[in-house]
Amino acid sequence: MTAALMAFAGGLLIAVLVLLWRWRASHLHQHDALQAREEHLTVALWGSGEQFWDFDLDRRELHLLQATESGADLGLVVASQRATLPLVHPHDRASLRRRLRAHLRGDEPLFTSEHRVDPEGDGNWIWMRVHGRTVQRDERGRPRRLAGTARDTTANRHADAERRIASEVLRSMSEAVAVLDRELHFVAVNPAFTQITGYSDVEALGRPFTMLDSEGEGRGSALRQDMNRQHWQGNVWMTRRDGEEILCHVKHNGIPDAGGEVNFHVVVLSDITEQKRAEQELRYLANYDALTSLPNRSLLSERLARAIVRARREGGHVAVLFLDLDRFKDVNDSLGHATGDRVLRAAAERVQHAVGPQHTVARLGGDEFTVVLEGLGVPAEAEDVARRVIEAFALPLSLDEHHEITVSPSIGISLFPDHAQVPTELLKHADTAMYQAKAAGRRTWQVYSASMDETIRRRATLAGLLRRVVEREELSLVYQPRYSLHEDRVVGAEALLRWRNPEFGSIPPDDFIPLAEDTGLIMEIGEWVLKEACTTLRQWSEAGLDGLRMSVNVSAIQLLRGDLAATLARILAETGVASGQLELELTESAIMANVGRSASVLHACRVLGVGVAVDDFGTGYSSLAYLKRLPLTTLKIDQEFVGDLTRDPDDEAITSTVIAMGHSLQLTVVAEGVETAGQLEFLRDHGCDEVQGHYIAAAMEREECLAFLARPVAVPA
Ligand code: C2E
Ligand code: MG
Ligand code: MG
């Protein structure tokens, strides 16, 4: 028994010892494993940057476990500490509560939340992402403890927000943005890139940047070289997917990696094609006239200044031609501004063509053009050019297939260095000379001289005086007889206007009629002339001289403005003169200023029974075709041709041709300015109908002329 007891006790001891040994061995092993695990946990905790938390729901106690570096040996310490529940941001509280409840109810196996907390209570909110789950329940199965991890995601969230903003910015940028790899292949593009280049992201990605190269210019490789620099910007022509060339402003930035090597390139492109075009257009507008495409005043001044500098250096001459279209206002008024514009364009072309492409023709506005002539051998060459320009206007300007119009220029010339040294003065003097050309009868040129300034002043004074000329009764008419070569008697007279001013004395019509036309006063003056002439005619017939005809000169302005036929009808009625006794004289240029309007006004006059004569025939450019269309009765050969009869065979030929031509159109042909018996004889021999001139009689006062008309005139047969 004892032995058995002993054996049992011994066995028990051994078993206990074995168990003890085992326990110890396992305990020792467990201790090692536990320590290793704790180490792993510490490192993992530190490495993950997470915090462990443990929350007792009943006691509302929170424990935090956190790994921190300690000391210089970088040993890690895990600290577990009781913590106060951090303050949750008011905006995030409801969602946090909702998520927690869902987990506690068992709806969600995991509790997750991302919310803002203020751990220090100092208003410094940080974002925490929290994961956890129930780790302990009470006997009734209700959750008692939760544990899990938490992590500060503030920096991530900021980075995220930045990324979102950046990508949104890229999406909404109007500039094309492309990211290229080190081989300059596309790795990313934004929507604006697609819009500007026409390549979608799918089409662009992986392809080389050189696909945008502009053809032929090889800029791509140049661009590639430039791209090797880290920053570069400039304007480059590129080709869109559809082949259209666009000018792009390119900004390039190389993005170096940590080692300083450029692995990516960001290229920002903006399409500046339109902008450049607009700039060019602006520059063009600033320097060129939009209507005629000629240089404008500012470019002219620049070129003139440069021409002067050159001439000064080389000792040459510069001429400025100031050109104004005659009676352009009437073209504008009667035909409308659209037609006026077409006339200006056609005139611009004609001037440029006449002077040649090597000289600058500019439009200063309105109907004023300026020509700068450089490299003149002698100043007289400027006059040759002016003559050429005037001759170039002899042919009508064609406005379109059906319409043409004849206009003429008056030209003033000033010279460097003779008249002035600076552009403004030269232009001013050329302008003055142009006015003189107008005063000299238009369709001509004048070279500036200092005395012109005096003339211009006189003109201004005269213009002022002219305003009151009718009311002051300073005007009068003189009458020059017209002699019929068929009937050998005086058949009528031409009324010629005279102006006698107390201060300036007698002023010739060639001086003041252009002035009256320019100021519009010719309307009032012209009406006075018509009335006065008809009154005289009436008096003559009362004195017993019946059947005489009276010619009255009418200006282009009277034809274009107002209602000439109505005025005539009224005056004829007032004075009781038979319409057949009256004849209007119009110069060719007056009729040609606007052939269409002239024709209709003259028709209306003819309907009244009034005759119509072309005055100064041969000096203008009227073609037979025009004359045929006009309701004319009389042709007056200009005294320029008559004066040289018997001396100049050319003038003789012209005169005899005009007589024949007039007769072929059933017109009465009158020769003006007949001063010699020889001239008269020639005219009689060639069948001219009537003559007028000092050989018969000069112009006379009304009474004197009446006496002349009353006695028979002896003219050699
Ligand atoms: P016109 O109608 O051709 O008139 C003829 C001009 O020649 C007149 O000059 C006349 O005096 C001049 N004359 C006449 N016979 C001879 C001659 O044998 N030899 C020379 N050398 N000259 C002669 P005037 O009176 O100085 O008139 C000049 C121009 O003024 C006229 O040329 C006409 O175009 C214009 N004019 C005259 N009166 C009027 C008028 O009442 N209204 C308008 N609109 N113009 C007028
Ligand atoms: Mg006349
Ligand atoms: Mg005449």
Side-chain angles (χ1 to χ4, degrees), residues 202-248:
V202 178
E203 289 166 321
L205 299 188
R207 292 185 63 186
F209 186 68
T210 46
M211 76 177 186
L212 297 176
D213 274 4
S214 163
E215 251 179 49
E217 304 223 5
R219 286 201 191 100
S221 47
L223 188 61
R224 249 184 102 95
Q225 275 174 6
D226 284 326
M227 291 266 251
N228 290 333
R229 288 189 260 147
Q230 264 194 20
H231 305 284
W232 179 83
Q233 59 174 315
N235 296 342
V236 181
W237 281 98
M238 298 196 151
T239 312
R240 278 174 52 92
R241 189 175 184 276
D242 58 12
E244 195 192 318
E245 299 271 292
I246 50 171
L247 184 64
C248 288

Side-chain angles (χ1 to χ4, degrees), residues 494 553 585 615-616 636-639 672:
E494 175 177 5
N553 294 286
E585 287 190 12
D615 204 353
D616 304 347
K636 294 187 83 169
I637 305 173
D638 193 72
Q639 44 184 289
E672 299 185 287

Side-chain angles (χ1 to χ4, degrees), residues 38-53 64-71 74-81 150:
E38 197 170 293
E39 257 175 46
H40 282 151
L41 201 66
T42 307
V43 172
L45 197 57
W46 178 77
S48 71
E50 306 256 354
Q51 286 179 343
F52 281 125
W53 55 268
L64 292 177
L65 199 65
Q66 196 167 14
T68 48
E69 292 168 46
S70 87
L74 289 171
L76 295 170
V77 172
V78 176
S80 167
Q81 59 190 58

Side-chain angles (χ1 to χ4, degrees), residues 170-196:
L170 273 187
R171 283 183 55 75
S172 56
M173 264 170 85
S174 58
E175 285 101 348
V177 182
V179 181
L180 310 171
D181 62 16
R182 53 187 308 153
E183 267 71 51
L184 300 183
H185 287 103
F186 290 99
V187 290
V189 298
N190 71 343
F193 178 89
T194 304
Q195 213 166 39
I196 291 176

